[in-house]
C-alpha cells in the first residue's frame, strides 16, 4: 500500500526535454510548460515513505485546507501554500467537467496521427508520438489508473486538452481536490469514479448509500459510484460549504 501512494510520481526534466532535437516533442513540452505545471511535474521524486504513508492515513480536508500529521506533528497545507510551493496557476477551471467542448473537439484533431478525430474510447496509438508521451505523463502524474497507459479516457484526454489547447486551469485547486480520491480509497490508489463502491473504506461505502438513498438521482443503484454521488460525498468529507 505504501508504494501505491507515490507510484504516480512523475518527474520531468524540462531543461533536457526542451533541448531535444525533435520539434514535435519540444513543441509538446513547451505547451506543458506553458500550462503552469512545470513546478509540479519538475519536482524531483524524493520520497520519505514512512512519512508519506503517515500523511495520507491521517489526512483530512476542512474548508479547503489539508490537515494531517507526520511523526506526531500537525501539518497544514492551504491551497495558497500548495500553489506557491509548486508555482501553480490559481486562475481558471478547477473541474474537468467545465472543459469547453470546442477545445476537446479541436484537441481530438490536433493530436491525431491520421488527421481524423481520435476515438475517446480507443487506444493512444491513434495519437502522434509526442501526444502518446503526454498521455503517459498525465496518466502517471494525476490520473485515476496510472497502470492503464494504452487506454484513452475522457478524464485523461481532458487533462491533455488543457495543455494542447492552452485552457487555463486552477491547477492548485484541481490537484488538491484530486487527493480526496486517495483518502476514501481502501487500496490506497485513487478510486475510479466509474467503478464500484467496494473500492472505498467501509464508512464511506455507508455514506455512499446514504446520499444515494436520500438525494441522488438513481437511488436503486447502490453499488455504482457516479460523479454526482461522489460530489455529494465530497461535500460531506471535505466540509465544502
Amino acid at each position: 500500500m505504501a508504494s501505491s501512494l507515490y507510484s504516480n510520481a512523475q518527474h520531468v526534466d524540462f531543461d533536457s526535454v526542451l533541448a531535444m532535437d525533435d520539434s514535435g516533442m519540444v513543441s509538446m513540452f513547451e505547451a506543458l510548460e506553458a500550462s503552469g505545471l512545470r513546478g509540479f511535474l519538475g519536482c524531483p521524486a524524493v520520497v520519505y515513505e514512512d512519512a508519506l504513508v503517515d500523511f495520507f492515513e491521517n489526512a483530512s480536508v476542512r474548508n479547503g485546507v489539508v490537515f494531517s500529521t507526520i511523526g506526531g506533528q500537525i501539518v497544514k497545507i492551504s491551497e495558497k501554500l500548495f500553489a506557491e510551493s509548486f508555482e501553480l496557476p490559481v486562475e481558471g477551471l478547477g473541474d474537468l467537467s467545465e472543459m469547453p467542448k470546442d477545445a476537446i473537439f479541436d484537441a481530438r484533431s490536433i493530436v491525431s496521427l491520421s488527421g481524423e478525430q481520435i476515438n475517446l474510447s480507443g487506444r493512444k496509438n491513434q495519437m502522434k508520438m509526442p501526444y502518446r508521451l503526454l498521455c503517459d505523463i498525465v496518466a502517471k502524474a494525476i490520473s485515476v489508473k496510472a497502470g492503464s497507459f494504452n487506454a484513452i479516457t475522457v478524464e485523461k484526454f481532458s487533462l491533455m486538452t488543457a495543455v494542447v489547447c492552452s485552457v487555463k486551469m486552477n491547477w492548485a485547486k484541481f490537484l488538491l481536490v484530486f487527493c480526496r480520491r486517495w483518502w476514501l480509497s481502501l487500496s490506497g490508489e485513487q478510486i475510479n469514479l466509474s467503478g464500484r463502491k467496494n473500492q472505498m473504506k467501509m464508512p464511506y461505502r455507508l455514506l455512499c448509500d446514504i446520499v444515494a438513498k436520500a438525494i441522488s438521482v438513481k437511488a436503486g443503484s447502490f453499488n455504482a459510484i457516479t460523479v454526482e454521488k461522489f460530489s455529494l460525498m465530497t461535500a460531506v468529507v471535505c466540509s465544502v460549504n
Side-chain angles (χ1 to χ4, degrees):
M1 177 178 174
S3 62
S4 69
L5 297 177
Y6 58 84
S7 63
N8 279 5
Q10 181 74 36
H11 176 227
V12 178
D13 187 339
F14 280 89
D15 289 336
S16 294
V17 296
L18 291 175
M20 293 174 66
D21 187 20
D22 185 313
S23 59
M25 285 290 186
V26 170
S27 178
M28 185 275 285
F29 280 111
E30 285 177 340
L32 191 58
E33 181 182 40
S35 73
L37 284 172
R38 176 166 181 159
F40 182 76
L41 294 175
C43 181
V46 178
V47 175
Y48 296 90
E49 182 175 322
D50 292 341
L52 188 63
V53 172
D54 194 12
F55 177 83
F56 272 91
E57 287 185 343
N58 296 295
S60 63
V61 180
R62 297 193 293 276
N63 296 322
V65 179
V66 179
F67 290 87
S68 189
T69 58
I70 297 179
Q73 299 296 312
I74 296 177
V75 177
K76 182 171 67 173
I77 304 175
S78 65
E79 182 179 314
K80 182 175 183 292
L81 176 61
F82 187 65
E84 290 175 349
S85 298
F86 293 104
E87 299 179 345
L88 292 168
V90 294
E91 296 182 357
L93 305 183
D95 192 317
L96 291 181
S97 65
E98 301 170 359
M99 186 65 60
K101 292 183 179 180
D102 57 344
I104 292 178
F105 183 88
D106 291 343
R108 289 174 64 185
S109 299
I110 293 170
V111 307
S112 174
L113 181 63
S114 67
E116 298 181 359
Q117 286 203 336
I118 66 168
N119 181 354
L120 295 189
S121 298
R123 316 291 280 179
K124 70 179 185 184
N125 59 6
Q126 306 172 72
M127 301 179 185
K128 298 170 186 173
M129 193 59 70
Y131 300 113
R132 296 184 201 181
L133 177 57
L134 177 60
C135 188
D136 285 350
I137 290 172
V138 299
K140 186 70 175 174
I142 44 184
S143 191
V144 175
K145 193 174 180 182
S148 182
F149 286 120
N150 288 321
I152 300 172
T153 65
V154 172
E155 182 176 65
K156 279 193 281 187
F157 196 76
S158 295
L159 289 167
M160 292 179 62
T161 298
V163 175
V164 173
C165 294
S166 303
V167 177
K168 285 188 175 181
M169 292 288 294
N170 182 341
W171 288 113
K173 177 180 178 181
F174 176 80
L175 292 170
L176 269 182
V177 170
F178 219 72
C179 289
R180 74 186 188 269
R181 286 157 73 167
W182 271 305
W183 298 326
L184 274 62
S185 173
L186 180 65
S187 67
E189 296 183 0
Q190 286 188 11
I191 65 174
N192 184 346
L193 297 191
S194 299
R196 315 292 280 179
K197 70 181 184 184
N198 60 6
Q199 305 170 72
M200 299 180 183
K201 297 170 184 173
M202 193 58 69
Y204 301 117
R205 297 185 201 181
L206 176 58
L207 177 60
C208 188
D209 286 349
I210 291 171
V211 298
K213 185 69 175 177
I215 44 183
S216 188
V217 173
K218 192 175 180 182
S221 182
F222 286 120
N223 287 322
I225 300 172
T226 65
V227 172
E228 180 183 61
K229 280 194 280 188
F230 196 79
S231 296
L232 291 168
M233 292 177 64
T234 298
V236 176
V237 174
C238 296
S239 303
V240 177
N241 293 324

